Each structure stands twice: as C-alpha cells, then as structure tokens.
Amino acid sequence: LAARRWSMRMRFLRPPRRAAAPPRAKLARRYASSARLAALVERIPVVTPELPAWKRESLELRERLAAHLSKVYPEQLTVAQEGPDRRQARLRAAAIIESEGAREGEGDRTGDETSLDRKLAHRLYLVLREGGAWRLPQVDWSGGAEAPTVRQCLGEHLSASCGASLQLHWVGNAPLAHLPAGEAATFFWRLQYVAGEVEPGAGAEGHAWLTKE
C-alpha cells in the first residue's frame, strides 16, 4: 500500500509530456524533392553595447559613494612624477583605445551598408540582391543518392554568389529552423563570419550587412 501511494505521488510530480517532434527522416522524405536552403550569415558584435541609462546612473552613484567614504592621503605620498617613457606609453595606449575601441566605424560615417566596419555593437546579417529583391543567400536542393549533401550544396552556392575569399563557420550540424510552405520548405542554416570580403557573383547584383531592425 505504501509503495502504491509513493507511485501515485511520483506520477503527479512528473512534468507533462511534450508533443513529439516529427522525426528527421520523415521531414527529409517529405521535402526531399522540394527543399530550399537559406544561409543566415551573421557578424557577431565587435564591441560591447552601451550601458543603459539606469546602469550608468548606478555606477556613478557607486563611484561617488566610494569616493565619499574613502580616506584621502597627502599628495606627496600618493602622487609620483611621470617620466618621459611612461608618459609616452600612456599616450600611445590612449590613442589605441580611442581608435580601436570606438563604437562608430567608417561605414557608419559614410553610410556604406556593404562595409563590415559599421554597427560594431550589433549583429549584422548578410543579404543579397537577386532579381531586384533583397533576401538571404539561398538555393534549391533535391535529395537523392547522387545529390550533394546539404552543406556541400549551400557551401558551393555561397562561394559562387559571395566569393571564394569569404570564410564562414557553420554553427551546428542541423538547420536553425525550417519554414514549411505547402509541399515545399525552406531550411535555415546559421553561419558566422570569420574573415574575407563579399564579392557578389552568380546572379547576385549586390550585398549588404544589415541589423535585424
């Protein structure tokens, strides 16, 4: 009787079961002849985003409180003379921080959306202009024994449409998401920018690096 009560108690404590996702093989058979592959190429942020107003106010209040509670010593005990070498090193470090740590790049100043030197604190996504429309790099793929793999097919299309110098990193071995549309479906694969420049080709009329907004 005690064992039965314990079993019933554990049954009530179990989390509800989720609906099972469709098997991968079933999805592959369903969209084997009408699948489309899209690449979500992103450039990760280069600098940290600006702090919100409430965070800056909190830090300023903490600094003022620390300065108010700190003990002040005579300057002859705390201030040291700065030699020429140390001053030159300090100025050099300040110049590097000002040039390399700026939140505004050359692309922000010129309005060039094809440049990666813009929106340094945000993620940028690669879009191509094909047939007069802007969209993610994408290509049709038909499965089969002799057909190339998904990564081979999408990788070859990226090399042809964006240039061979563009180096990308595949994030994971499965698509990020898929968007069914009747008998067809579009599978989205996530890639991250590593190095190189985009050189539009193979039907691409132009490119841009845009934020999600």
Side-chain angles (χ1 to χ4, degrees):
L1 182 59
R4 183 179 302 177
R5 291 180 178 176
W6 177 258
S7 177
M8 293 178 63
R9 185 180 303 174
M10 292 300 295
R11 185 180 306 173
F12 285 113
L13 292 177
R14 291 176 183 173
R17 294 183 178 180
R18 297 181 179 179
R24 184 178 304 176
K26 185 177 180 181
L27 285 176
R29 289 194 302 268
R30 180 178 179 183
Y31 303 115
S33 59
S34 57
R36 192 165 185 83
L37 310 178
L40 184 66
V41 183
E42 64 175 352
R43 188 221 64 187
I44 61 177
V46 180
V47 298
T48 56
E50 293 186 0
L51 296 176
W54 67 269
K55 186 65 174 181
R56 294 196 300 268
E57 294 176 359
S58 176
L59 293 177
E60 292 174 0
L61 178 61
R62 187 179 302 176
E63 291 177 358
R64 291 198 301 266
L65 181 61
H68 177 72
L69 298 178
S70 61
K71 186 175 182 180
V72 180
Y73 292 92
E75 291 187 358
Q76 59 268 23
L77 300 179
T78 58
V79 178
Q81 294 184 355
E82 186 180 37
D85 295 339
R86 186 172 182 179
R87 181 175 182 275
Q88 185 178 5
R90 179 176 59 81
L91 295 177
R92 187 185 301 113
I96 294 176
I97 293 175
E98 183 178 358
S99 60
E100 299 295 335
R103 298 183 179 277
E104 186 182 61
E106 185 66 25
D108 295 315
R109 292 186 287 270
T110 60
D112 185 10
E113 293 183 341
T114 64
S115 173
L116 282 168
D117 192 17
R118 58 185 297 271
K119 303 292 184 181
L120 302 179
H122 300 81
R123 293 179 183 269
L124 295 181
Y125 300 94
L126 175 64
V127 293
L128 299 179
R129 183 178 178 86
E130 297 177 341
W134 291 96
R135 61 181 183 178
L136 299 175
Q138 49 189 281
V139 64
D140 292 325
W141 176 77
S142 58
E146 302 298 331
T149 63
V150 169
R151 295 185 62 161
Q152 290 175 349
C153 181
L154 189 55
E156 293 175 358
H157 176 71
L158 289 172
S159 298
S161 60
C162 302
S165 64
L166 186 63
Q167 301 180 23
L168 303 173
H169 170 70
W170 292 75
V171 182
N173 296 319
L176 176 67
H178 81 282
L179 182 63
E183 296 298 328
T186 301
F187 291 82
F188 297 88
W189 297 77
R190 183 183 176 191
L191 299 94
Q192 288 184 348
Y193 170 82
V194 177
E197 297 292 337
V198 178
E199 302 173 356
E205 305 166 2
H207 78 284
W209 292 95
L210 306 178
T211 61
K212 64 181 181 179
E213 287 80 10

